[in-house]
Amino acid sequence: MTARRLVLTHGEMAALVEFAEVTLPPGLIPEDTVPKAERQWSPGEEKALAVLARPVAAVRIETAVPGRVLRGLFGVAGSLGASLFTLAGETVELSLFNAADLGRELLRAVPEPEDGDSVPAALDPERPLRGTVDLADLEWPPRDSGLADRARAQTRGSVSALITGRHPDGGILAGQVAWLLTGSRWTGLRPVSAGNERVDTVRLEPVDRADFPSWVAPHLTAVLEAGRGPVR
């Protein structure tokens, strides 16, 4: 199946949600949006909304780069996948696609590093960021002047993905992927396991835009293998 895409105003999206009698996570359309639509909804649009409202696995993405801020929700259920993107001008894009195409669809939320504004030379050194840092050193105010300081100075944006699903025992399964836009390249933050649940250290490594689905895949696989019911 070729992906089906539909651009809707906030009012039309609110009307579709009301018509389908479902609830979506907050942040995709303003909470005070008044439902408004003068159209008949197609079965494909209802299916897309049903996948997003009751997915077996969900991926929430937030992207902030120069000239672009995007929030998106992806869901898979059975053989179907769906997504909902925020767009400019008080509109959203609703899509329905084959679940097997999720990786390709996820890339639509990760822009090419050179897209948007030009990169100041001072923020685009030849040497990529690579090495291990404490998470606290990436925060402000800075604690060191080494690799973490270089990362802070070069960061122009970020993309993060939260992958969720429900465990058969009723608990929530979750995983997270975080990348930084440093100069004109993406840098991945890979958690370094210390044998406990708390992660205090990450490894910075250069990545390509095409790598993003492979970073999401392990978390998604864990959710799909363990989850047998929808995320509520």
Side-chain angles (χ1 to χ4, degrees):
M1 176 183 69
T2 302
R4 305 174 188 173
R5 311 197 193 283
L6 178 67
V7 175
L8 300 168
T9 66
H10 288 172
E12 289 172 330
M13 189 65 215
L16 176 57
V17 169
E18 184 178 76
F19 173 79
E21 299 182 334
V22 299
T23 301
L24 295 180
L28 295 170
I29 58 173
E31 294 184 3
D32 59 352
T33 298
V34 177
K36 183 178 180 180
E38 298 178 357
R39 52 167 297 166
Q40 296 291 321
W41 303 114
S42 72
E45 293 154 9
E46 293 183 54
K47 284 182 181 178
L49 201 59
V51 171
L52 292 172
R54 294 179 291 275
V56 173
V59 183
R60 185 74 180 261
I61 288 185
E62 293 196 8
T63 300
V65 296
R68 180 180 182 185
V69 176
L70 179 150
R71 294 181 178 87
L73 175 66
F74 295 80
V76 292
S79 63
L80 294 177
S83 67
L84 181 64
F85 278 126
T86 58
L87 300 176
E90 298 184 351
T91 58
V92 295
E93 180 198 81
L94 180 67
S95 297
L96 183 70
F97 49 86
N98 292 320
D101 294 332
L102 177 61
R104 182 170 58 199
E105 293 292 320
L106 287 172
L107 284 178
R108 301 182 67 236
V110 185
E112 292 287 356
E114 62 271 17
D115 285 353
D117 299 342
S118 60
V119 185
L123 298 182
D124 197 25
E126 294 182 1
R127 185 159 54 101
L129 298 170
R130 191 190 302 272
T132 302
V133 299
D134 290 338
L135 276 174
D137 290 339
L138 292 174
E139 300 173 354
W140 190 265
R143 298 194 319 179
D144 81 315
S145 58
L147 179 62
D149 188 53
R150 288 178 55 210
R152 285 191 303 270
Q154 296 172 29
T155 295
R156 308 170 57 234
S158 64
V159 57
S160 63
L162 178 65
I163 304 95
T164 58
R166 184 167 297 279
H167 195 277
D169 66 7
I172 296 296
L173 297 168
Q176 190 166 15
V177 171
W179 283 11
L180 301 177
L181 179 60
T182 53
S184 61
R185 59 173 60 90
W186 285 107
T187 297
L189 277 63
R190 195 179 295 279
V192 177
S193 175
N196 54 45
E197 294 183 358
R198 182 175 177 178
V199 175
D200 296 317
T201 306
V202 294
R203 185 169 63 253
L204 303 180
E205 54 187 82
V207 291
D208 293 325
R209 172 179 175 269
D211 296 331
F212 193 75
S214 68
W215 279 56
V216 173
H219 304 290
L220 191 63
T221 298
V223 167
L224 292 174
E225 288 181 349
R228 299 183 182 277
V231 179
R232 299 186 186 281

